[in-house]
Amino acid sequence: MPRSAWKGYLKLSLVSCAVALYNATSTSERVSFNTLNRKTGNRLKQNLVDSVSGEPVDTADRVKGYQVSKGQYVLVEDTDLEGLKIESTKTIEIETFVPQAEVDQIYLDSPYYLAPDDKVAEEAFAVIRDAMIRKAMVGIGRVVLNRRERMLMLEPRGRGMLATTLRYPYEVRQDGEYFADISDVKLPAEMLDIAQEIIGRKSGHFEPDKFTDRYEEAVVGMLRAKQAGQAFAVPEAEAPVNVVNIMDALKRSLQAEGADAGAIRRPRAPSKKAAKAAAAAGPARKPRARKAAR
């Protein structure tokens, strides 16, 4: 069983059960580098030094400090932080339930798996999980992780739950300051038709198993080549530029996808004369069924 990142209790009103949080993602498989001395090939160590004297400081003499004014700090010991045991330090209490569609994706931060921590907890855990499934809602709670209280969104996932930490509003930049200068553009209908056709031809299903980290693959290839004393180079792709003739680019894109731009036609609206004639004729009558021959 993987090591848990947090253990405590999940609580819904008076119902509670022992649970554990596990990291749902990992970066341990990525290629990592050490910093070496180019002359000796030895690894380098980082030492914290006094900013005034320049002397290295032992671990026992290091302490956290909060700057209240220039050069003035309030010292904070680890024991001070450990003493801040608020309720969410050991309990995830679900405060409210909301439709998942209402949770803006920009607030989603880090994913965790939430599971019962023992057999006794499984029944209460299942009650909370299955009730959320039936109501089609997600739970919002709080938990202390890495000495910070984080908002948490809980949603059923298989036999367990997916717990996603949420960013606070002060951590999210509003999009208005980035999108305010974008002009309203009136696009020709034909241009949108071709773009939609391209999207349709490139549509598929979300299949993360097919994702490949091409940069990571290039790094691994480079390392293997260096280890074998061989040269290694990746051809540099030509940088794209702003398209001037968008319609021409769309048509050429459509041809590259195996379709003819000229074959796309918008349905024409009926003429006024045809519309009046259809209205005067009234709704189309269904043909009467023929009587069976005796």
Side-chain angles (χ1 to χ4, degrees):
M1 190 71 174
R3 192 169 126 189
S4 63
W6 179 92
K7 284 189 176 185
Y9 292 88
L10 176 64
K11 184 179 178 184
L12 172 61
S13 190
L14 299 179
V15 179
S16 61
C17 58
V19 293
L21 274 177
Y22 302 91
N23 289 303
T25 59
S26 173
T27 58
S28 61
E29 299 300 319
R30 293 179 184 172
V31 173
S32 59
F33 297 96
N34 297 309
T35 305
L36 309 178
N37 183 336
R38 187 186 297 274
K39 295 179 180 179
T40 64
N42 298 328
R43 288 182 59 178
L44 301 182
K45 293 182 178 180
Q46 289 184 331
N47 288 325
L48 295 178
V49 299
D50 189 293
S51 61
V52 176
S53 67
E55 295 294 324
V57 180
D58 292 336
T59 304
D61 294 327
R62 299 171 190 171
V63 64
K64 294 179 177 63
Y66 176 77
Q67 184 170 311
V68 292
S69 60
K70 189 173 182 179
Q72 298 296 319
Y73 297 88
V74 174
L75 301 185
V76 180
E77 303 287 349
D78 288 341
T79 53
D80 296 330
L81 296 173
E82 291 168 1
L84 301 177
K85 294 182 178 179
I86 59 178
E87 184 180 4
S88 53
T89 304
K90 282 295 181 183
T91 303
I92 300 173
E93 181 168 3
I94 305 178
E95 301 175 2
T96 185
F97 293 90
V98 301
Q100 187 172 6
E102 291 186 3
V103 182
D104 191 333
Q105 292 187 5
I106 199 170
Y107 287 93
L108 303 182
D109 193 2
S110 301
Y112 293 84
Y113 292 136
L114 184 69
D117 196 31
D118 53 44
K119 289 293 183 182
V120 178
E122 288 185 356
E123 186 177 17
F125 183 88
V127 168
I128 299 172
R129 178 199 63 206
D130 291 357
M132 281 198 287
I133 293 174
R134 290 193 178 189
K135 293 291 290 184
M137 305 282 268
V138 296
I140 304 296
R142 300 168 185 264
V143 66
V144 173
L145 289 172
N146 302 320
R147 292 179 175 174
R148 281 195 62 206
E149 187 178 55
R150 306 298 306 270
M151 300 302 297
L152 205 62
M153 182 181 76
L154 303 174
E155 57 182 304
R157 184 181 179 91
R159 296 180 182 177
M161 294 187 197
L162 178 64
T164 307
T165 54
L166 302 176
R167 298 181 177 94
Y168 287 103
Y170 68 81
E171 297 177 297
V172 176
R173 295 177 178 177
Q174 298 303 313
D175 55 22
E177 57 183 308
Y178 304 98
F179 301 158
D181 295 335
I182 300 177
S183 306
D184 291 330
V185 181
K186 189 174 182 180
L187 298 171
E190 184 184 1
M191 196 177 286
L192 285 175
D193 288 341
I194 298 176
Q196 288 183 76
E197 181 67 20
I198 295 172
I199 291 174
R201 290 180 173 272
K202 295 181 76 69
S203 296
H205 297 282
F206 182 68
E207 299 175 302
D209 291 341
K210 293 184 178 180
F211 293 175
T212 56
D213 190 339
R214 294 178 295 181
Y215 186 82
E216 187 82 356
E217 289 178 351
V219 171
V220 172
M222 177 265 293
L223 291 174
R224 287 175 177 170
K226 278 183 168 289
Q227 196 173 13
Q230 301 171 351
F232 181 85
V234 176
E236 186 174 353
E238 186 177 348
V241 295
N242 282 333
V243 177
V244 177
N245 191 330
I246 299 176
M247 181 62 81
D248 179 62
L250 284 169
K251 289 180 178 180
R252 285 188 286 110
S253 299
L254 196 60
Q255 290 173 358
E257 294 298 326
D260 183 8
I264 301 174
R265 294 288 184 268
R266 291 176 62 86
R268 294 183 179 179
S271 64
K272 292 182 179 179
K273 186 176 180 180
K276 286 182 179 180
R285 296 180 180 177
K286 293 182 179 180
R288 294 181 180 178
R290 293 182 179 179
K291 293 182 180 180
R294 294 183 181 176

